Amino acid sequence: MSERVITPRSRGFLFLDSHPAGCARLVEEMWQAAPAPERAPDGGAPVALVVGSSAGYGLAATIAGLARAGIRGIGVCFEKAPTERRTATAGWYRTAATAELARRHGHEMVFLNGDAFSDGMKDQVADLLRERFGRLDHLVYSVAAPRRTDPDTGAVYASVLKPIGEAYRTKTLVFDGAGTPEVKEVETPPAEGDDIAQTIAVMGGADWERWVDHLADRGLLADGFTTAALSYIGSPLTDGIYRQGTIGAAKSHLEATARTLNERLDKLVGGRAVTSVNGAAVTQSSTAIPGIALYVGLLRGALGEAMVPPIAQLADLWDQLTGARPFEVDEDGRVRLDAWELNSAVQAAVTERWETATTETITRLADLDWFHSEVQRLYGFAVPGIDYTAPTATQVPWPEATA
């Protein structure tokens, strides 16, 4: 088994390698942070599917589902294996660690690696449900991808991060090669041509609906089946590039899909479909959005430990999905896990910091040590208890689908 010392090398917020031991320890930390179940689930362990199970809120949904809701079932993700020259992606190592923790705690969880957008993966999941788990109780959909191939037409769609109507200028946070922070302004050109339609095709509700239809057509949805697609609204400070931009158009489509699915599932199996609006967090996808890094750093500076981590948010969602407590939705039928972030007093404090944020003031306005650490932790670095000077095994196998 190949072992070597792995040091963090990055281009901006993108790291070139991941640390297997750090990723494993991070997963264990998340598991330990998940609230313990208040009671055993009625009727045994619920069968669940998490699409996008290896990173961000999808990873939190998987771990919270196992540790809090006692689920068994399937996680789907798309990760790269280690090679002789490069480590695996962080999600590969996180998945291996999650599978091991699930096994250790007596949870039957199978992880499939492949294109979640493909009908081939949907068939594989359907076959596995029929052969091993039975009908599905819950589906959590958490996919952030740059492109999608339409299974019907073969057309390839690409998502873009652009404002709609006019160029968008915003403050953003960058770090130079030495890790020194700089606040600068960037301008993003507006969407053009079919940018909006392409982004909706990738990030909207089409694939979520296809998953539900695929499993429903095979009679694999249990009575009372519930499904949630994970979403984000965010602050007015980032509206121009996010909620009012191309990604926001995709999120609106996702919410419209939830309403359509909700009506159909209610008639079909007495089920329910919702979007779940999560609060801000440092994720591999969010750091690519102009202004988001600065906003999250300032939010942490204003809130400190009062920021609600993804694992706690998703534990809350699982309580609602499983019926441990009733659904709490807004006027648009969305589960809101972001009230702590969008509280008017919190937003006022962050806005004040945003307006005065410069390269000279940023270190006292934002929690940059926390933010920089969170970015590194996405790849298994800056995790307490890991000796980063010691060689570590990089050839970690994908978890076997054994009982």
Side-chain angles (χ1 to χ4, degrees), residues 50-376:
V50 181
V51 183
S53 59
S54 61
Y57 279 99
L59 175 67
T62 305
I63 296 172
L66 289 162
R68 173 72 171 178
I71 64 171
R72 64 190 185 101
I74 305 167
V76 174
C77 54
F78 191 31
E79 300 295 344
K80 292 182 180 179
T83 66
E84 290 185 3
R85 297 183 58 228
R86 299 288 292 274
T87 69
T89 51
W92 178 286
Y93 296 131
R94 289 190 295 254
T95 299
T98 304
E100 173 57 24
L101 277 173
R103 184 199 62 77
R104 197 185 309 164
H105 287 85
H107 300 287
E108 185 182 12
M109 197 75 187
V110 176
F111 291 94
L112 303 177
N113 190 27
D115 181 5
F117 293 135
S118 70
D119 282 351
M121 177 56 75
K122 294 175 177 64
D123 286 335
Q124 192 175 349
V125 168
D127 290 345
L128 188 56
L129 284 170
R130 183 180 293 108
E131 295 166 5
R132 184 162 173 174
F133 294 102
R135 294 195 297 169
L136 189 67
D137 296 299
H138 313 291
L139 189 163
V140 175
Y141 187 86
S142 178
V143 177
R147 61 189 58 86
R148 168 177 173 254
T149 300
D150 188 308
D152 291 327
T153 66
V156 179
Y157 301 107
S159 61
V160 296
L161 281 164
K162 291 184 178 180
I164 295 174
E166 59 184 20
Y168 177 70
R169 194 166 184 82
T170 186
K171 290 180 178 179
T172 196
L173 177 65
V174 297
F175 293 88
D176 65 17
T180 303
E182 179 185 1
V183 176
K184 57 191 298 186
E185 284 202 349
V186 295
E187 184 172 290
T188 306
E192 56 186 8
D194 63 350
D195 282 346
I196 299 172
Q198 291 245 354
T199 303
I200 290 173
V202 179
M203 301 290 288
D207 186 60
W208 178 32
E209 185 172 22
R210 197 176 185 93
W211 270 102
V212 174
D213 288 346
H214 207 86
L215 299 173
D217 289 346
R218 286 157 179 74
L220 289 170
L221 302 185
D223 292 341
F225 167 81
T226 60
T227 181
L230 307 189
S231 187
Y232 182 66
I233 290 178
S235 169
L237 293 168
T238 59
D239 255 1
I241 194 67
Y242 198 85
R243 193 64 194 195
Q244 300 303 320
T246 53
I247 294 296
K251 297 300 184 185
S252 294
H253 185 272
L254 192 72
E255 291 164 7
T257 302
R259 292 188 288 271
T260 300
L261 284 175
N262 192 54
E263 292 180 6
R264 285 165 43 198
L265 288 171
D266 180 47
K267 295 175 183 177
L268 183 65
V269 291
R272 186 158 189 181
V274 297
T275 52
S276 174
V277 183
N278 303 299
V282 179
T283 66
Q284 283 162 285
S285 55
S286 71
T287 54
I289 304 172
I292 293 291
L294 175 62
Y295 168 74
V296 175
L298 293 171
L299 179 66
R300 173 72 182 196
L303 280 177
E305 295 293 332
M307 276 191 77
V308 181
I311 194 71
Q313 295 180 46
L314 271 297
D316 188 349
L317 177 62
W318 276 111
D319 284 353
Q320 297 184 53
L321 289 173
T322 59
R325 64 183 184 83
F327 276 102
E328 297 178 6
V329 298
D330 64 13
E331 63 277 7
D332 293 314
R334 303 172 297 197
V335 174
R336 299 302 293 268
L337 304 177
D338 61 346
W340 59 272
E341 176 189 352
L342 297 189
N343 173 283
S344 58
V346 171
Q347 284 300 304
V350 177
T351 299
E352 182 179 354
R353 290 169 183 249
W354 178 282
E355 291 173 347
T356 57
T358 64
T359 299
E360 291 70 35
T361 63
I362 189 61
T363 54
R364 64 177 176 81
L365 296 175
D367 190 341
L368 295 186
D369 288 341
W370 171 85
F371 179 82
H372 201 252
S373 174
E374 286 297 295
V375 171
Q376 293 183 80

